[in-house]
């Protein structure tokens, strides 16, 4: 409440000073308004603004004028239930100010010597660098959450390594990770955004991998970016597991006959997003026999990928539509001949099904940081490497020497 009152007084004083000249008569008017101000705070859900103004003792004509003035700086029809506002009045019941908090801005209407004025002030956003590190214990997702990485950051980290690491099949207990991110926040501590700027993943299967954000891309420690033709998985790691692999002689779980399974089954909760593993064009979207709801994409170099047993399609997944690598094209379901929610994913090369998990030699487009920007990249990388290593050292402190142990007693 003190914060709101302070803003109200500052904004009111500012507009009074701008609107009213400093001749004697108007200065007396300003002085007459220097009375103690009372403020009441509400949310839109608790009470509509016009109702609060009426209950504050204002006449309908004045209420209408205040709301109209507020509409000149913000569309009050688009206010949300959680939006907060306060109404300030003087000791003699006169309107002083209406202050509305919406998103990251303050909108206000103030009485400046009998004249209503309106304005908006943006909330100051500050930035700080944060980091953490940890080890995989059981679920990668839960391990990262436990070590302070939020869900959006986890997604960013896995995306940064999506061409090099399959988080469905290549993670192991004991694997290490570290992350550095920029955190944006307001003066009152509200976090408004987080952006991953550096990450490390060291695994038994994956080896040691680094990613540094520079010029809207993630580069490795050598300054190279390798965007391969295919992602390593059509689904991110969250709550997913491979339940059936490419097998020419698999026993079908429903039909109970041996028939080839020429794809990979990824079990995941219904509604889990499915991403295009490469740039392509939608050639089929609809129901297709035992596959249930089904999508087929055509890619460069005579590749085709298929996605079956879907629950629904993404809005942009239409026949003939172009999709980008990583775009969400559909969602996991249990349609067709299916024993539970999962994705049946298949890939064909020149009309022949191949084992996606064994496609090691995928086309790559290698790029490096431009020569003229190399020093800038190296300077930035040095800072972020230091932050990553500090986070790792805090997670795994070096053992004390006998002398250090004695000194710490």
């Amino acid at each position: 409440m003190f914060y709101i009152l302070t803003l109200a007084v500052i904004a009111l004083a500012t507009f009074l000073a701008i609107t009213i000249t400093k001749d004697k008569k108007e200065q007396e008017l300003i002085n007459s308004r220097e009375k103690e101000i009372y403020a009441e705070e509400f949310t839109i859900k608790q009470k509509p603004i016009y109702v609060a103004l009426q209950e504050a003792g204002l006449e309908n004509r004045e209420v209408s004028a205040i709301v109209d003035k507020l509409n000149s700086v913000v569309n009050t029809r688009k206010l949300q239930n959680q939006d907060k506002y306060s109404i300030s009045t003087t000791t003699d019941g006169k309107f002083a100010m209406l202050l509305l908090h919406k998103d990251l801005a303050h909108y206000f209407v103030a009485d400046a010597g009998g004249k209503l004025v309106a304005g908006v002030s943006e909330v100051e956003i500050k930035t700080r660098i944060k980091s953490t590190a940890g080890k995989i214990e059981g679920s990668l997702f839960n391990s990262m959450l436990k070590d302070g990485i939020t869900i959006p950051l986890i997604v960013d980290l896995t995306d940064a390594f999506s061409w090099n690491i399959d988080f469905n099949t290549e993670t192991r207990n004991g694997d290490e990770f570290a992350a550095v991110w920029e955190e944006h926040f307001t003066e009152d501590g509200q976090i408004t955004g987080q952006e991953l700027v550096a990450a490390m993943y060291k695994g038994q299967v994956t080896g040691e991998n680094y990613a540094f954000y520079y010029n809207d891309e993630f580069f490795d420690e050598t300054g190279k970016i390798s965007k391969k033709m295919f992602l390593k998985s059509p689904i991110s790691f969250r709550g997913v597991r491979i339940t059936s692999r490419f097998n020419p002689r698999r026993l079908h779980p429903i039909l109970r006959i041996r028939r080839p399974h020429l794809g990979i089954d990824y079990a995941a909760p219904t509604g889990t997003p499915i991403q295009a593993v490469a740039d392509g064009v939608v050639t089929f979207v609809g129901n297709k026999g035992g596959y249930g709801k089904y999508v087929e994409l055509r890619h460069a170099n005579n590749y085709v990928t298929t996605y079956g047993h879907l629950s629904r399609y993404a809005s942009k997944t239409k026949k003939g539509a172009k999709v980008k690598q990583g775009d969400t094209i559909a969602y996991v379901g249990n349609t067709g001949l299916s024993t539970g929610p999962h994705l049946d994913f298949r890939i064909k090369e020149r009309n022949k099904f191949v084992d996606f998990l064994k496609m090691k030699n995928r086309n790559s487009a290698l790029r490096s940081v431009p020569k003229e920007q190399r020093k800038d990249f190296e300077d930035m990388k040095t800072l972020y490497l230091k932050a990553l290593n500090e986070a790792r050292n805090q997670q795994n402190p070096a053992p004390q020497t006998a002398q250090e142990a004695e000194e710490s007693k």
Side-chain angles (χ1 to χ4, degrees):
M1 186 61 69
F2 175 79
Y3 176 67
I4 293 174
L5 287 174
T6 301
L7 281 175
V9 172
I10 292 173
L12 180 57
T14 300
F15 273 90
L16 285 172
I18 293 173
T19 308
I20 303 172
T21 61
K22 293 184 179 181
D23 60 44
K24 182 177 179 180
K25 181 177 180 181
E26 291 178 332
Q27 187 62 50
E28 289 175 353
L29 181 58
I30 294 174
N31 293 338
S32 70
R33 301 290 288 165
E34 292 179 345
K35 301 176 181 180
E36 187 175 2
I37 295 177
Y38 294 98
E40 286 189 274
E41 186 179 87
F42 308 96
T43 64
I44 296 299
K45 182 178 181 179
Q46 289 174 325
K47 194 173 295 186
I49 290 176
Y50 72 91
V51 171
L53 289 168
Q54 290 173 335
E55 292 181 355
L58 304 180
E59 297 180 358
N60 288 338
R61 173 179 54 81
E62 191 173 7
V63 170
S64 179
I66 293 169
V67 173
D68 286 347
K69 198 67 179 178
L70 181 62
N71 266 310
S72 69
V73 292
V74 63
N75 188 346
T76 57
R77 292 182 179 179
K78 294 185 177 181
L79 297 181
Q80 303 296 314
N81 285 338
Q82 69 272 16
D83 292 337
K84 296 180 181 180
Y85 67 94
S86 64
I87 295 174
S88 303
T89 56
T90 60
T91 51
D92 57 0
K94 302 287 186 179
F95 171 75
M97 173 172 282
L98 168 64
L99 183 63
L100 170 69
H101 305 267
K102 179 173 176 58
D103 300 325
L104 294 176
H106 302 307
Y107 303 90
F108 58 88
V109 177
D111 184 317
K115 179 181 179 181
L116 292 177
V117 293
V120 57
S121 63
E122 299 293 331
V123 174
E124 182 184 2
I125 303 298
K126 299 180 181 180
T127 300
R128 58 194 170 204
I129 298 294
K130 301 199 73 175
S131 63
T132 192
K135 291 186 177 181
I136 303 302
E137 297 177 5
S139 162
L140 170 66
F141 184 73
N142 289 333
S143 297
M144 289 187 173
L145 279 179
K146 183 184 68 175
D147 283 292
I149 305 181
T150 62
I151 293 176
L153 285 175
I154 295 174
V155 173
D156 287 345
L157 186 147
T158 55
D159 284 349
F161 294 123
S162 58
W163 288 275
N164 301 319
I165 301 173
D166 183 351
F167 287 100
N168 293 311
T169 62
E170 296 181 340
T171 60
R172 300 290 186 272
N173 282 337
D175 287 1
E176 297 179 48
F177 61 85
V180 178
W181 65 93
E182 291 183 350
E183 186 168 88
H184 309 296
F185 63 101
T186 63
E187 188 174 350
D188 62 359
Q190 178 186 356
I191 296 174
T192 62
Q194 295 175 317
E195 297 173 1
L196 185 73
V197 295
M200 184 282 305
Y201 192 91
K202 183 180 180 181
Q204 300 170 43
V205 176
T206 65
E208 194 162 359
N209 297 267
Y210 286 90
F212 301 97
Y213 192 69
Y214 185 76
N215 283 353
D216 298 325
E217 298 278 10
F218 280 102
F219 293 83
D220 67 15
E221 68 274 21
T222 69
K224 292 182 179 180
I225 181 171
S226 178
K227 283 196 170 182
K228 299 183 180 179
M229 182 175 177
F230 297 104
L231 297 177
K232 279 214 164 185
S233 172
I235 302 180
S236 65
F237 67 91
R238 289 170 291 170
V240 77
R241 69 187 189 281
I242 292 177
T243 55
S244 183
R245 296 171 180 259
F246 190 92
N247 184 353
R249 290 183 51 79
R250 186 187 71 154
L251 180 66
H252 194 281
I254 293 179
L255 302 178
R256 307 307 298 172
I257 61 175
R258 293 206 174 272
R259 59 188 293 184
H261 184 253
L262 303 178
I264 302 164
D265 287 347
Y266 295 88
T270 297
T272 300
I274 299 167
Q275 56 192 351
V277 296
D279 294 353
V281 176
V282 179
T283 55
F284 186 94
V285 54
N287 287 298
K288 190 171 183 178
Y291 290 109
K293 292 185 176 180
Y294 174 90
V295 169
E296 184 172 289
L297 305 180
R298 184 183 72 249
H299 310 281
N301 301 324
N302 296 304
Y303 284 103
V304 172
T305 56
T306 68
Y307 310 77
H309 305 307
L310 313 173
S311 61
R312 60 189 177 94
Y313 312 107
S315 59
K316 59 187 172 187
T317 306
K318 309 289 184 184
K319 186 175 181 179
K322 293 182 179 180
V323 296
K324 290 290 186 182
Q325 187 178 62
D327 283 354
T328 296
I329 57 170
Y331 300 87
V332 171
N334 191 27
T335 57
L337 287 175
S338 172
T339 58
H342 74 283
L343 166 68
D344 181 308
F345 172 76
R346 306 186 181 207
I347 183 167
K348 290 191 289 185
E349 181 181 8
R350 300 183 186 277
N351 284 327
K352 180 181 178 181
F353 286 103
V354 294
D355 188 346
F356 183 69
L357 295 179
K358 293 182 178 179
M359 291 176 61
K360 300 298 184 183
N361 299 318
R362 300 174 184 171
N363 295 331
S364 300
L366 292 173
R367 285 196 296 114
S368 298
V369 174
K371 289 183 178 179
E372 63 273 17
Q373 297 176 349
R374 190 68 192 209
K375 184 179 185 305
D376 184 45
F377 171 78
E378 291 295 336
D379 290 344
M380 178 214 68
K381 184 186 77 173
T382 298
L383 293 174
Y384 289 147
L385 267 176
K386 181 181 178 181
L388 286 170
N389 289 331
E390 287 177 350
R392 294 174 71 183
N393 290 337
Q394 289 177 5
Q395 173 70 20
N396 303 297
Q400 288 184 319
T401 64
Q403 182 179 349
E404 289 173 334
E406 184 65 28
E407 291 175 351
S408 65
K409 290 182 180 179

